[in-house]
Amino acid sequence: MKREELAAEIGSGRYESDVIVIGGGATGLGVAVDAASRGYRVLLLEQDDFSKGTSSRSTKLVHGGVRYLAQGDVKLVIEALRERGRMRRNAPHLVRDMRFIIGNYKWWERSFYTIGLTCYDLLAGKLGLGRSLPLSSSRITREIPGLKRDGLMGGVVYHDGQFDDSRMAISLAQTAFDYGGVCLNYVRVDGLEKDGSGRVCGVRAVDLLNGRDFTVRSRVVVNATGVFIDDVMGMDSRQANKKVRPSQGVHLVVDRKFLGGDSALMIPKTRDGRVLFGVPWHDKVVLGTTDTPLNQASLEPCALEEEVDFILDQAGQYLAMQPKRSDVLSVFAGLRPLAAPTKGEGQKTKEISRSHKIYQSDSGLLTITGGKWTTYREMAEEVVDRAIGIGGLERRACVTADMKLHGYAVQDPESGWDYVYGSDREQLRLLEQADATNKELLHPDYTFRVSHVLWAVREEMAQTVEDVLARRVRALFLDARAAIEMAPRVAAILASELGKSNEWVNEQVTTFNKLAKCYLVK
């Protein structure tokens, strides 16, 4: 994936595609993989970096949604559980089974949750990850030593998936490329092209790295821009009704000592009626999430003070050591692109269905919103099936249900960072064998190395310090202060690879440090 070469080809004016996808998050990348693997010419354009928005800011879960089962949305749960199993099967280097513990502090809870979670298992069918079982209080505390023991009467264990979201996004971009698709970051779509009959037939865009404008024709254009879908739909025609309703979710990252084991904690009902998770992730623990409705969308949302306090307070009611603001290593916020409710649906964000919705305008613009990471593949399949009819494309069957994603490798996550690269790990080893300095650590407390930065810029289209430290390696999300300390070294490596000046290095470090402050809790 050599960005400069691909951008020159796309901007030449000679490139035409069958499908253009606007948006490089989970949904857009899924569409690109689906269409490319069916043999269509695919171009994906992302205004920032792949998974810059919502898709790098999840709770890191691949799950059916226990809460949706409690709300009676059985169809969504069945769909998500089926796709959970496929994600685990198709990308075992990134998705793994995790045991989730619900501690019970009332006499009736163990039976209640055991019955409900057994139904959850049954809905997964052959793609289930493991059985839900009641556990004694002593077994619970062995699995999660950090759980508060006062009043603990036992608990229930169930299984769901855990993954690295932005690494999955990169794997999808690489998979699309493996099948002949082109995915470009830092290209902003400024307008839609239409033919004489008013049908959308392409896009007008600008490469934000060199300022060049270009137009690309396509038989179908897919709007998969998450919380920004209304902006793209506005390029097509004036919309009376907004199609997306943003909801902010905030997560805190703390040291793994707060759980103390390898199992995750699920708190079934917080003060606002949501569930709260404590999930082990890259030797840290992710606590979240909140649900705050917002009126404005942003590429870089910031956590509200009350959201941070809410998570700390609710987690502290179940953990023996109550985490404090000084314990937070990083805080990140993401905006869920909830499909705006129609008449008769609940208006509170926690009541809005997480099912996706697909809209087709009179001009043929295809828009998708809603959904979640777990169901990205099925959403993409539906979109491409619709696109075939709109563009008059040769009908070809979807092949992604059993398709191994780039990097596929059957392995158990181990200490260090390299397992997320799957089968590409050998290439990283070759980089380090070629030059011993490539083995050097970026920070003494973490296993991120120079080789990871080189790989990010050479093979994964990383263009900035943020691309590397936020999404190629996850330093910013794991420990914002450590990421700030890594930034100068990363900037220098990028400058050497990209042919940039010392002034560029200084600008990158300054820009990253300013961004990283939003990930710090004061």
Side-chain angles (χ1 to χ4, degrees):
M1 300 205 307
K2 308 299 182 186
R3 188 191 182 283
E4 188 174 349
E5 297 173 10
L6 293 171
E9 178 186 358
I10 301 304
S12 67
R14 298 185 298 273
Y15 185 90
E16 291 190 9
S17 68
D18 295 318
V19 180
I20 287 179
V21 183
I22 309 173
T27 306
L29 289 164
V31 172
V33 168
D34 187 294
S37 61
R38 296 196 205 196
Y40 303 125
R41 294 170 298 174
V42 181
L43 171 64
L44 180 145
L45 303 175
E46 161 58 42
Q47 67 173 330
D48 201 279
D49 186 33
F50 305 123
S51 76
K52 157 71 176 181
T54 307
S55 297
S56 64
R57 302 160 186 269
S58 73
T59 317
K60 321 306 176 194
L61 300 182
V62 179
H63 63 140
V66 173
R67 178 167 60 91
Y68 310 140
L69 182 62
Q71 292 175 350
D73 199 342
V74 177
K75 180 177 180 295
L76 174 62
V77 174
I78 293 174
E79 173 187 280
L81 287 172
R82 181 176 61 233
E83 292 303 314
R84 179 193 68 177
R86 286 170 172 161
M87 280 185 73
R88 169 68 174 145
R89 185 176 63 197
N90 296 345
H93 59 301
L94 290 170
V95 181
R96 67 187 184 108
D97 169 36
M98 177 161 281
R99 291 167 65 86
F100 284 75
I101 303 294
I102 302 177
N104 300 153
Y105 294 87
K106 297 178 181 178
W107 66 268
W108 55 267
E109 288 180 329
R110 184 157 55 164
S111 297
F112 176 79
Y113 289 118
T114 299
I115 293 170
L117 291 167
T118 298
C119 293
Y120 191 66
D121 298 339
L122 291 172
L123 292 175
K126 295 180 180 180
L127 291 173
L129 299 181
R131 286 186 61 194
S132 299
L133 295 168
L135 298 179
S136 66
S137 57
S138 59
R139 178 67 182 274
I140 292 289
T141 53
R142 284 201 300 271
E143 293 217 23
I144 303 184
L147 190 64
K148 186 176 290 186
R149 302 187 183 192
D150 292 344
L152 183 65
M153 297 182 178
V156 180
V157 61
Y158 73 97
H159 295 253
D160 252 327
Q162 190 257 15
F163 80 137
D164 188 295
D165 45 14
S166 74
R167 291 305 314 178
M168 176 65 79
I170 296 302
S171 180
L172 290 175
Q174 292 170 315
T175 304
F177 180 79
D178 292 343
Y179 280 90
V182 176
C183 300
L184 288 178
N185 51 2
Y186 295 101
V187 176
R188 186 184 67 228
V189 172
D190 287 336
L192 302 175
E193 288 286 292
K194 295 186 178 181
D195 61 20
S197 64
R199 301 282 294 178
V200 172
C201 62
V203 300
R204 298 186 300 277
V206 57
D207 188 330
L208 298 175
L209 298 185
N210 57 33
R212 294 174 187 161
D213 296 315
F214 61 92
T215 299
V216 183
R217 297 183 65 82
S218 180
R219 296 169 73 173
V220 186
V221 174
V222 176
N223 173 16
T225 53
V227 292
F228 300 104
I229 63 161
D230 290 322
D231 295 341
V232 176
M233 294 181 81
M235 298 176 189
D236 179 35
S237 65
R238 294 181 181 273
Q239 297 293 319
N241 299 314
K242 298 293 184 182
K243 301 298 185 184
V244 71
R245 185 172 177 184
S247 169
Q248 177 160 290
V250 166
H251 299 82
L252 308 182
V253 178
V254 296
D255 192 273
R256 67 173 297 162
K257 69 182 181 182
F258 286 96
L259 289 185
D262 296 324
S263 297
L265 173 66
M266 196 271 256
I267 300 170
K269 194 169 185 179
T270 60
R271 191 172 63 234
D272 71 345
R274 289 184 57 82
V275 298
L276 188 75
F277 291 100
V279 183
W281 184 62
H282 296 313
D283 208 35
K284 298 289 188 288
V285 171
V286 177
L287 300 174
T289 177
T290 58
D291 190 7
T292 307
L294 297 180
N295 295 320
Q296 297 294 325
S298 167
L299 268 174
E300 193 59 59
C302 289
L304 303 175
E305 293 295 317
E306 54 265 35
E307 291 179 303
V308 174
D309 292 337
F310 172 81
I311 293 174
L312 292 174
D313 174 71
Q314 295 296 288
Q317 293 185 30
Y318 289 84
L319 298 177
M321 290 190 298
Q322 179 164 353
K324 303 179 179 63
R325 297 176 75 88
S326 58
D327 294 313
V328 178
L329 300 172
S330 183
V331 54
F332 58 92
L335 301 182
R336 305 177 189 89
L338 303 182
T342 56
K343 187 176 181 180
E345 292 182 325
Q347 295 299 308
K348 294 181 180 179
T349 53
K350 68 180 181 180
E351 296 172 351
I352 299 174
S353 173
R354 265 46 174 181
S355 297
H356 59 277
K357 294 183 180 180
I358 299 175
Y359 305 97
Q360 179 179 335
S361 72
D362 292 340
S363 68
L365 176 67
L366 199 56
T367 297
I368 180 165
T369 190
K372 56 180 183 173
W373 247 118
T374 308
T375 56
Y376 87 90
R377 192 213 62 83
E378 186 169 61
M379 293 161 63
E381 180 179 353
E382 289 185 33
V383 169
V384 176
D385 284 345
R386 291 278 291 271
I388 290 171
I390 294 172
L393 302 174
E394 178 184 344
R395 188 162 294 279
R396 299 167 185 163
C398 174
V399 298
T400 59
D402 301 305
M403 189 176 77
K404 297 176 180 178
L405 297 184
H406 183 96
Y408 177 95
V410 178
Q411 59 188 12
D412 291 324
E414 56 190 62
S415 61
W417 171 252
D418 284 6
Y419 77 83
V420 300
Y421 296 95
S423 60
D424 284 337
R425 291 172 66 182
E426 182 58 32
Q427 299 302 315
L428 286 163
R429 289 195 186 98
L430 292 176
L431 271 177
E432 295 175 355
Q433 289 173 7
D435 187 341
T437 61
N438 294 343
K439 295 181 181 179
E440 294 178 2
L441 297 176
L442 300 178
H443 192 282
D445 296 338
Y446 293 89
T447 56
F448 307 130
R449 303 188 299 278
V450 171
S451 59
H452 298 135
V453 184
L454 294 174
W455 185 259
V457 67
R458 293 177 184 178
E459 303 295 337
E460 298 175 345
M461 284 194 184
Q463 301 294 311
T464 70
V465 170
E466 181 194 342
D467 293 348
V468 174
L469 291 178
R471 291 173 291 279
R472 303 308 187 277
V473 303
R474 306 309 306 273
L476 180 60
F477 284 70
L478 292 167
D479 189 333
R481 289 177 179 82
I484 290 172
E485 295 172 16
M486 297 181 207
R489 181 76 183 276
V490 172
I493 297 169
L494 286 173
S496 177
E497 289 291 309
L498 299 172
K500 301 294 185 180
S501 65
N502 288 334
E503 182 182 4
W504 182 88
V505 170
N506 293 332
E507 289 175 353
Q508 279 289 303
V509 172
T510 300
T511 299
F512 180 78
N513 289 348
K514 181 179 179 181
L515 169 76
K517 289 180 181 178
C518 289
Y519 291 71
L520 296 171
V521 172
K522 300 176 180 63

